[in-house]
Amino acid sequence: MPDVVADGLRVLFCGINPGLLSAATGHHFARPGNRFWPVLHRSEFTPRLLLPAEQDALPSYGLGITNVVARPTARADELAPEEYREGGRTLALKVARLRPRWLAVVGVTAYRAAFEDRKARVGPQDRVIGDTRVWVLPNPSGLNAHWTAETMAHEFARLRTAAEAG
């Protein structure tokens, strides 16, 4: 699954791992029930709703996408704890190389596992990777019933505001 990245992005979004449809299409957050693309637009990161197939437009908005774990699975709970930890180490190296202003990990459980931070909550984190600040966002999967598209968009907008502030 190719990353959609560039040096010096405003925000590098980081999913847990590719789902099977994303792996088959090569498009991040491709499953129709996933709310990433609608929430990205509702939070005003993008001026219009992008389709997963339009992911290559993200760097023009100062945005990018990668994953904690590269291996595709049907469900994230199929990943082993060591895959998350190794993914966290790989992600930290990628962030140090690309130097985005913010790393936004979508999924607090994935962030906790990847960075061994069991107390992390949604929102800005104390952790920095080089000069990159870290923000944990709710998982946009349709399986995440704790967050509505509206409450997710509010949290994404908080990050957008912080990213615009510098």
Side-chain angles (χ1 to χ4, degrees), residues 3-161:
D3 289 340
V4 178
V5 296
D7 288 339
L9 297 167
R10 279 188 307 139
V11 179
L12 177 60
F13 291 95
C14 182
I16 299 170
N17 74 309
L20 299 179
L21 183 60
S22 288
T25 63
H27 302 135
H28 292 268
F29 302 104
R31 190 173 176 88
N34 193 294
R35 298 170 287 181
F36 177 80
W37 298 102
V39 167
L40 199 66
H41 174 61
R42 286 179 76 166
S43 61
E44 300 180 5
F45 268 111
T46 59
R48 65 178 180 83
L49 175 60
L50 298 177
L51 299 173
E54 296 177 290
Q55 66 187 17
D56 291 337
L58 287 176
S60 70
Y61 302 114
L63 310 174
I65 303 179
T66 188
N67 287 293
V68 174
V69 176
R71 183 171 72 90
T73 60
R75 296 183 358 198
D77 63 5
E78 296 174 33
L79 297 171
E82 181 51 34
E83 288 181 279
Y84 280 108
R85 288 189 294 273
E86 178 60 29
R89 290 188 289 270
T90 301
L91 178 59
L93 292 171
K94 188 179 299 184
V95 167
R97 180 174 48 84
L98 295 171
R99 300 177 332 276
R101 197 173 305 154
W102 286 90
L103 169 66
V105 179
V106 292
V108 69
T109 303
Y111 177 82
R112 289 174 182 160
F115 291 100
E116 299 182 276
D117 183 351
R118 293 185 303 190
K119 295 182 181 183
R121 301 275 184 259
V122 168
Q125 306 300 303
D126 292 333
R127 176 184 308 275
V128 292
I129 302 170
D131 292 330
T132 300
R133 302 275 321 270
V134 179
W135 196 293
V136 175
L137 292 168
N139 186 338
S141 165
L143 300 175
N144 182 0
H146 299 294
W147 290 79
T148 66
E150 183 177 330
T151 58
M152 264 190 251
H154 176 76
E155 189 61 31
F156 274 59
R158 287 182 60 217
L159 168 60
R160 181 187 47 76
T161 299

